[in-house]
């Protein structure tokens, strides 16, 4: 069995890392695309295996210019089974490698400041309560836009995901990373009561499939 | 990154974000995988705790500063 970690350009360096179970990494070339694989004993379904997968992908990101992470749990009987699965998708993979080349991903989650809790609504002013709720949601949306808009200006692409008041992944060119971090810091100083979590740089997981 | 400067939370955040990406994102070739990964539920519980503790941390910091 072989386990598939990521795709990169043929000829890209491999990181000095080992994969699941300490397995050595190898590149399987399918035309101009390299599939980064490692050996697999058994089903590899433990949390530590998922973490090992992620660490290989991040180590690859540090040495290769274009990396398409593969979702955990793609495994194949042998190299020719892998090539069969990849061949029909080469054009798509090339396109996506081009899109993420020279870029990293940042994840951002934000929880806006909440208005102080109002008293429980009584039955007769239910509509007033709903109006308040809607107004509060609208305020949160404004704050989310104040975070999202400047970040998108420093990003090649972005994906907004459900979660928190704003949760998104941003695809950021290496040259734009400083500007991205400045935009984030700008939001934080303008909204000191909001909680912002930014993680990265990551390999561009959120931009590996069609978005 | 100046925004998340909470060294004591950082390893936990990083782990949760890593596992979330590995399991839910990335290229899908076979597309019909039903994932059941031992131990991952614990990681997601960790995420909820983390968001709660992050805002609590902020509040405590503000109270200290006041």
């Amino acid at each position: 069995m072989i386990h598939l970690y990521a795709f990169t350009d043929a000829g890209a360096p491999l990181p000095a890392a080992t994969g699941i179970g300490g397995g050595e990494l190898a590149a399987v070339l399918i035309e101009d695309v390299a599939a980064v694989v490692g050996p697999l004993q058994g089903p590899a379904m433990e949390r530590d295996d998922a973490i090992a997968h992620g660490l290989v992908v991040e180590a690859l990101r540090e040495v290769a210019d274009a990396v398409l992470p593969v979702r955990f749990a793609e495994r194949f009987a042998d190299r020719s089974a892998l090539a069969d699965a990849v061949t029909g998708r080469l054009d798509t993979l090339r396109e996506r490698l081009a899109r993420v080349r020279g870029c990293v991903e940042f994840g951002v989650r934000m929880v806006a400041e909440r208005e102080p809790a109002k008293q429980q609504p009584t039955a007769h002013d239910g509509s007033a309560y709903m109006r308040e709720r809607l107004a509060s949601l609208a305020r949160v949306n404004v704050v989310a836009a104040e975070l999202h808009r400047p970040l998108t200006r420093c990003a090649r692409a972005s994906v907004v995901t459900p979660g928190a008041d704003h949760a998104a992944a941003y695809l950021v060119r290496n040259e734009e990373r400083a500007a991205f971090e400045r935009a984030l810091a700008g939001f934080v100083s303008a909204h000191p009561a909001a909680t912002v979590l930014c993680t990265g740089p990551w390999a561009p997981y959120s931009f590996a499939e069609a978005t | 990154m100046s925004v998340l400067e909470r060294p004591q939370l950082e390893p936990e955040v990083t782990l949760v974000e890593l596992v979330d990406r590995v399991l839910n994102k990335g290229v899908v070739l076979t597309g019909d995988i039903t994932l059941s990964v031992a131990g991952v539920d614990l990681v997601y519980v960790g995420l909820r705790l983390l968001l709660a503790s992050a805002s609590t941390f902020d509040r405590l910091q503000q109270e200290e500063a006041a």
Side-chain angles (χ1 to χ4, degrees), chain A residues 50-150:
Chain A
I51 293 169
H53 175 105
L55 293 178
V56 165
V57 171
E58 294 309 317
L60 181 62
R61 171 185 57 75
E62 285 177 6
V63 297
D65 200 30
V67 174
L68 282 183
V70 170
R71 193 171 74 177
F72 178 73
E74 294 279 357
R75 67 281 311 269
F76 300 88
D78 52 31
R79 289 177 174 217
S80 88
L82 166 65
D84 287 347
V86 171
T87 303
R89 301 197 56 193
L90 273 178
D91 285 343
T92 314
L93 291 174
R94 274 188 205 110
E95 236 168 71
R96 294 192 185 142
L97 278 170
R99 176 165 72 151
V100 304
R101 184 161 289 120
C103 294
V104 293
E105 173 174 327
F106 284 98
V108 174
R109 293 172 199 274
M110 186 274 292
V111 178
E113 182 188 17
R114 287 283 182 269
E115 300 289 306
K118 297 259 160 56
Q119 285 193 328
Q120 286 296 311
T122 52
H124 67 270
D125 67 357
S127 65
Y129 170 74
M130 286 311 292
R131 275 197 299 278
E132 261 169 38
R133 285 273 301 147
L134 286 172
S136 158
L137 283 175
R139 279 193 296 275
V140 166
N141 286 339
V142 167
V143 174
E146 283 171 17
L147 173 62
H148 185 56
R149 214 175 297 119

